[in-house]
Amino acid sequence: MSKILVTGGTGYIGSHTVVELQNSGYEVIIVDNLSNSSIDVLDGITSITGKKPAFEKIDCRDKQDLAGVFKKYSGIEAIIHFAASKAVGESVEKPLLYYRNNLVSVLNILELMGEQNACSLVFSSSCTVYGQPDVLPVTEDAPIKPATSPYGNTKQIAEEIIRDAIHADKRLKCIALRYFNPVGAHPSAAIGELPNGVPNNLIPFVTQTAIGIRDCLRVFGNDYDTPDGSAIRDYIWVTDLAKAHVIAVERLLANKNKKGIEFFNLGTGKGLSVLEILEVFEQVTGVEINRQIVARREGDVEKVWADPTFANKELGWKAETSTEKMLETAWKWEIALTAKRR
Ligand code: UD1
């Protein structure tokens, strides 16, 4: 079976993707520097799939170390590159760290792909490249807007770097997946999102408030031009998202990607406001979320949701999991985490 290198494979989306790859029969090699993840995630993956993935504690900014992985596991056919820093606020405070982390790794991987003749790349991109789109739902050919944070800029620049590299070396090919808002956890509650310190993202903050770690959820803004005034996003279940990566790898390895680089929106096509999410969470769990409406968060867009038609048609993939189920799995995971902490 094909060998797949997964950078950031102990992270949130990475770990769920490793599970789906293993379940589809791929041999997975994870590299991760564990800067924002835990080695225990490997046990979680193993408990689900029955197979421990190979793991190397390596920083993707170190090209020599990465080259060593290609040597050790000869015959790597494709790379899924998740490893990156992703906190929007932190990227404003530490822009150079974000440019170095998120771009040097891309340069190293592209160079190694050429040198090692491992020509297929699946790249983790983001709906952040669209900024606040003029037309909703947003399609892949919508204009790329100036980024509102260094984090967002790293995703835009990385897409451009990959495009240029592929233009210059026709052997290389890439599928860039533009994620909307991934949420939830594996149904087994063996893996899930593990925020470092105070969560930045909505769902881990909600579950931590529900379980009593946080006193109060701050709802950032109720004066947006949306039906209830809170901001709208397209929340997609992390396992649905993970499955799209397996399909993307298969497409690359089967040479069905004719364009060199392809972009796909990974979303459900449905937008939900922050207040709607809280309502569904309360319904599903029966737990009330203590909340406070505060000012808008800097850099947030008002509303964005995907037109996933291109991914539905070309990849034969669809995110079908209900919001209820996504939030149920997030809650089950938070309960499991709390039990482990005790
Ligand atoms: C952002 C990025 C996305 C990136 C992700 C990674 C943009 C436009 N989006 O997603 O590309 O992949 O971070 O971290 O840059 N909210 C609250 N209270 C909270 C937390 C969030 O009200 O405590 C609201 C936010 O204002 C937003 C929604 O919940 O409206 C979702 O926020 P979040 O989960 O942080 O994701 P994004 O900001 O959409």
Side-chain angles (χ1 to χ4, degrees), residues 86-88 125-129 131 148-149 151-152 155 179-183 193 199-206 217-221 224 230-233 235 274 294 296-297 299-302 304:
K86 61 158 192 169
V88 176
S125 191
S126 167
C127 68
T128 196
V129 300
T148 54
S149 71
Y151 160 77
K155 292 295 174 190
Y179 311 148
F180 282 67
N181 285 55
V183 297
E193 195 167 1
N200 293 300
N201 296 114
L202 178 64
I203 302 305
F205 207 107
V206 168
L217 171 84
R218 290 178 304 157
V219 175
F220 296 132
Y224 284 112
S230 64
I232 295 179
R233 298 287 184 272
Y235 296 91
V274 175
V294 300
R296 296 179 181 192
R297 182 171 67 176
D300 271 350
V301 299
E302 181 168 84
V304 62

